[in-house]
Amino acid sequence: MTYDNSRTTDPIRPAIELDGVFATLASATRRHVLLGLLERSPREERAVSEELAVAWGVERAHVRTQLRHVHLPKLAVSGHIEWNEVTGEIARGPTFDDLAPLLRLLDDHAVKLPGVWP
């Protein structure tokens, strides 16, 4: 897994459209969050940031900052997650089920994908 240092400011459109889905999946951080929610929902923001920090060999505080200020807000605005900023709970959002089949398909065929998944 590689370290995802993307700082895109483009909003992800709330409607489920293929372009919006690909914009969501363009970030390894967002893919990791969404795949984790496929397994279990809700998840704790702290646990997600620890997993990513260990995988990428970086400080958890840096990952947590990226999650809180970039990735979780984008996923919440798009409706893919529901995120409680106070408790740090991350759960599947109202549009998560629209995205789940593509996530499963990509995850099931990860060895055939170019680059590194998630």
Side-chain angles (χ1 to χ4, degrees):
M1 184 176 250
T2 59
Y3 175 63
D4 179 24
N5 193 22
S6 61
R7 289 188 173 90
T8 60
T9 57
D10 299 331
I12 297 172
R13 291 188 297 264
I16 295 295
E17 297 174 10
L18 194 54
D19 288 345
V21 169
F22 285 132
T24 297
L25 299 179
S27 163
T29 302
R30 292 191 293 271
R31 292 191 303 264
H32 182 86
V33 170
L34 293 167
L35 284 169
L37 290 172
L38 270 177
E39 294 176 18
R40 91 180 159 274
S41 178
R43 298 202 64 209
E44 294 299 320
E45 181 183 329
R46 179 179 185 89
V48 172
S49 63
E50 286 174 1
E51 291 167 9
L52 289 169
V54 167
W56 292 332
V58 296
E59 292 182 28
R60 188 184 66 81
H62 183 72
V63 174
R64 185 170 185 258
T65 299
Q66 278 194 335
L67 280 172
R68 291 189 74 75
H69 296 285
V70 178
H71 303 293
L72 296 178
K74 283 185 176 189
L75 290 170
V77 166
S78 66
H80 300 318
I81 68 167
E82 290 183 350
W83 171 46
N84 184 321
E85 293 180 58
V86 176
T87 66
E89 184 177 273
I90 306 165
R92 294 175 187 158
T95 64
F96 184 87
D97 288 340
D98 295 330
L99 185 66
L102 182 57
L103 280 171
R104 285 188 186 95
L105 177 70
L106 291 169
D107 198 44
D108 289 347
H109 294 87
V111 296
K112 297 177 184 176
L113 297 175
V116 178
W117 178 260

